[in-house]
Amino acid sequence: MPRPASRRKGPAPGARRIETSARRLFANRGYAGTSMAEIAAAAGVSKATVFHHYRSKRALYEALVGDAMAGFREQLVPLLDAQGDLQESLREFAAAG
């Protein structure tokens, strides 16, 4: 019996809180100015929970940057594939941001 195609699940609720808190702290304090303990406290989880989802602060940061890049790519690719003036499409994209 064939197995059903696997669906990629989004992050667990705890991981989403961690990511939201980490994104805010990294934006406000920078990478070096943010600790895993601060991220855990802001997310309302234990530091062990943070490390359960992300093996290191760097891994968490890289996941957030990867997500941001994927979102950017999702917005940019249709503009590059569109018929018409690429420069005008990029101007509209930049103005909408």
Side-chain angles (χ1 to χ4, degrees), residues 49-73:
T49 299
V50 177
F51 281 106
H52 170 75
H53 291 287
Y54 302 96
R55 70 183 178 279
S56 66
K57 183 169 80 166
R58 181 179 178 149
L60 172 55
Y61 189 79
E62 288 175 353
L64 295 176
V65 170
D67 287 348
M69 293 303 296
F72 179 72
R73 189 173 31 255

Side-chain angles (χ1 to χ4, degrees), residues 36-53:
M36 292 294 259
E38 291 168 326
I39 292 167
V45 300
S46 70
K47 199 161 87 167
T49 299
V50 177
F51 281 106
H52 170 75
H53 291 287

Side-chain angles (χ1 to χ4, degrees), residues 13 20 26 31 37 55 64 80 86 95:
T20 299
F26 287 142
Y31 178 82
R55 70 183 178 279
L64 295 176
L80 297 175
L86 176 61

Side-chain angles (χ1 to χ4, degrees), residues 3-53:
R3 292 181 359 184
S6 64
R7 293 184 188 169
R8 185 172 190 263
K9 295 181 183 180
R16 277 196 296 273
R17 287 196 314 272
I18 292 165
E19 290 173 359
T20 299
S21 298
R23 192 176 296 112
R24 186 178 64 252
L25 288 167
F26 287 142
N28 292 331
R29 299 179 182 177
Y31 178 82
T34 302
S35 72
M36 292 294 259
E38 291 168 326
I39 292 167
V45 300
S46 70
K47 199 161 87 167
T49 299
V50 177
F51 281 106
H52 170 75
H53 291 287

